[in-house]
Amino acid sequence: MTTTAPAPAGLDYPINDADNHFNEPKDCFERYIDPQYRDLAIRMVTGPNGERLELFAGAPSKFNTNQVTFSNDELKKMLGDDPNIGATSTRPVEDDESAAQIMPGMLLNRLNPLKGLSEEERAEFIAEFKNKSEAYGNRDLRLALMDEQGIDKAVMFPAAAHNIEYEFVDNIPALYANTRAFNRWMHEEPGFNADNRMFLPPYIPLADPELAVKELEIVLEQGAMMIQTKSGHAHGGADNPFGGRSVADPVYDKFWSICNEAGVRYAVHLGGTDYQKYGADWSYEPTTTFGDFDAFQWVMYWGDRPAAELTAALVLHNFFGRFPNIKVLLAEQGTVWLPYTLRKMDHAFMMGRKAKYSETGRLNARPSEIYKQHFYVAPFPEENVQRVASEIGVETLVFGSDFPHGEGLARPAEYVDSQLSSFGDDITRQIMRDNMEDFLAPCLV
């Protein structure tokens, strides 16, 4: 039975969240992978020094996820001496597998919930969220926590989807075997749709067009009405695993035609890409990953560029001219890059530059108008929402808490006063609820 969350304090409606997170159990791949591919499963093992290691088809991770925002002294000042708090890895952890646990909001700056707290208040905050951490990977507890937070509906992104394609870039059988296991867990345990409130989009790699269609048909048969892919360009295929293709390439037309006909929503979340390979042109080692990025690499290869290129390709490669029913959610990729990208696309359009994969070489509207008809985007929690709204409007802006990540909001409803105080009630409601309600409409049963 569908229920609705109570409204949080200060609002007369519950909020909808475009960027929330649900932790998959570490053994879900081993439990759900097809038996013939068991040796390819992602699994946790204990290393020779007693450390817990995540193996991908028997190989250690190629992706460094260390994220350092504060110095050790700053972390100690905020978090005290508790050795169980304050890890800087962005990977999900389970209490029985790691002593360290990220606190929601601890990696934020201005909206960091730990700043300014007394030692007693800090201890209370840490205890509160340690006690809530079981809900991060438990369906029923999570729905109850959403009630407490005043969240009516939320798109929940399980963590493994963020890097699975990077880890298996040159092992297509392992990629699809583990994806099938991941989506099977999602369907059988939390569900793709929990009470019309919690929506977990199955992940579908585009490395092999035929296997992508096969996986799509399975999850649609199981009731999924939203899917997700990685950000940036698509995989280059088995013959070019370290290359790429446009997501709008006609090689995927069957896949997107099925989505278009069914009214499927399309979600894209921040995650590991291979964009760092372009660093070879700038005196960098091309295999360096997130945790070892310096300032230049972080600026150029993490988040903004993959999001901008994906958005531009979908618009300028005539994706929506061929698949007009598809709507796209961009989660945890921010909006700083967006006004510039729209201006540049409109400029190219007005100069008469041709659109790829269009029979006439033209688009049926200005790129910025096509964007407004098909996209929804969540600003980062500390971004200047008024600035981006003044340039692109509010029709496509949605709220994303990034809970319970260290860069996310510990108490999502506080976003209204902290970030939207310059807007009127109608626009605030549009961002906090109504726009996302429109995006999720086909997913409701």
Side-chain angles (χ1 to χ4, degrees), residues 191-202:
F192 299 138
N193 176 341
D195 290 358
N196 273 341
R197 297 187 59 199
M198 195 167 75
F199 301 88
L200 282 75

Side-chain angles (χ1 to χ4, degrees), residues 333-355:
Q333 294 169 91
T335 59
V336 171
W337 54 272
L338 186 54
Y340 170 80
T341 302
L342 294 183
R343 288 197 301 271
K344 290 294 289 185
M345 288 197 292
D346 278 352
H347 188 206
F349 175 79
M350 296 304 293
M351 290 176 64
R353 295 289 181 177
K354 291 185 177 181

Side-chain angles (χ1 to χ4, degrees), residues 72-206:
N72 289 335
D73 288 342
E74 289 171 320
L75 286 172
K76 184 175 181 180
K77 184 178 180 180
M78 287 195 304
L79 302 169
D81 294 324
D82 187 345
N84 297 334
I85 304 296
T88 55
S89 170
T90 59
R91 284 194 183 279
V93 295
E94 292 183 298
D95 289 343
D96 62 343
E97 292 185 345
S98 173
Q101 181 179 341
I102 292 287
M103 286 288 107
M106 65 171 282
L107 300 180
L108 291 175
N109 185 9
R110 183 170 55 86
L111 301 181
N112 190 311
L114 293 162
K115 285 190 172 181
L117 297 185
S118 67
E119 185 175 344
E120 181 180 356
E121 291 169 331
R122 185 174 62 242
E124 290 176 355
F125 177 90
I126 291 172
E128 175 187 351
F129 283 94
K130 284 183 71 173
N131 290 334
K132 290 176 177 177
S133 63
E134 185 181 353
Y136 302 166
N138 180 296
R139 176 189 183 277
D140 293 334
L141 291 178
R142 193 53 175 279
L143 289 169
L145 180 55
M146 288 169 61
D147 284 343
E148 181 182 330
Q149 294 174 320
I151 296 176
D152 184 17
K153 301 179 181 69
V155 180
M156 295 273 179
F157 293 94
H162 302 167
N163 293 319
I164 189 171
E165 202 159 340
Y166 182 84
E167 299 287 4
F168 291 125
V169 63
D170 55 350
N171 191 338
I172 305 302
L175 172 60
Y176 280 94
N178 281 280
T179 296
R180 178 84 292 274
F182 186 52
N183 292 339
R184 184 178 284 138
W185 158 77
M186 209 181 300
H187 169 62
E188 295 192 13
E189 294 193 21
F192 299 138
N193 176 341
D195 290 358
N196 273 341
R197 297 187 59 199
M198 195 167 75
F199 301 88
L200 282 75
Y203 183 83
I204 304 183
L206 298 177

Side-chain angles (χ1 to χ4, degrees), residues 4 45 65 67 85 110 147 259 264 286 346 376 413 444:
T4 300
V45 301
T65 62
Q67 176 171 309
I85 304 296
R110 183 170 55 86
D147 284 343
C259 292
V264 169
D346 278 352
Y376 298 79
L444 305 179

Side-chain angles (χ1 to χ4, degrees), residues 20 75 122 147-148 202 231 257 283 285 310 324 349 370 401 425:
N20 213 303
L75 286 172
R122 185 174 62 242
D147 284 343
E148 181 182 330
S231 188
S257 293
S283 306
E285 166 56 52
L310 173 64
F349 175 79
I370 295 173
S401 71
D425 291 344

Side-chain angles (χ1 to χ4, degrees), residues 206-210 213 234-235 245-256 322 357:
L206 298 177
D208 184 299
E210 292 185 5
V213 168
H235 191 287
R245 290 183 287 213
S246 171
V247 173
D249 191 304
V251 71
Y252 303 120
D253 275 5
K254 182 177 180 180
F255 180 92
W256 294 119
R322 292 176 287 147
Y357 307 130

Side-chain angles (χ1 to χ4, degrees), residues 325-404:
N325 298 329
I326 295 180
K327 308 283 188 180
V328 183
L329 170 65
L330 301 177
E332 202 173 328
Q333 294 169 91
T335 59
V336 171
W337 54 272
L338 186 54
Y340 170 80
T341 302
L342 294 183
R343 288 197 301 271
K344 290 294 289 185
M345 288 197 292
D346 278 352
H347 188 206
F349 175 79
M350 296 304 293
M351 290 176 64
R353 295 289 181 177
K354 291 185 177 181
K356 194 174 180 69
Y357 307 130
S358 167
E359 291 183 1
T360 65
R362 299 286 293 171
L363 299 173
N364 57 15
R366 288 170 67 102
S368 58
E369 290 303 313
I370 295 173
Y371 164 84
K372 288 180 180 180
Q373 293 166 12
H374 293 277
F375 283 85
Y376 298 79
V377 61
F380 284 129
E382 293 189 314
E383 280 186 352
N384 187 324
V385 185
Q386 187 174 23
R387 182 181 300 161
V388 70
S390 68
E391 296 207 39
I392 70 169
V394 299
E395 299 90 344
T396 69
L397 297 181
V398 293
F399 166 70
S401 71
D402 195 25
F403 182 87

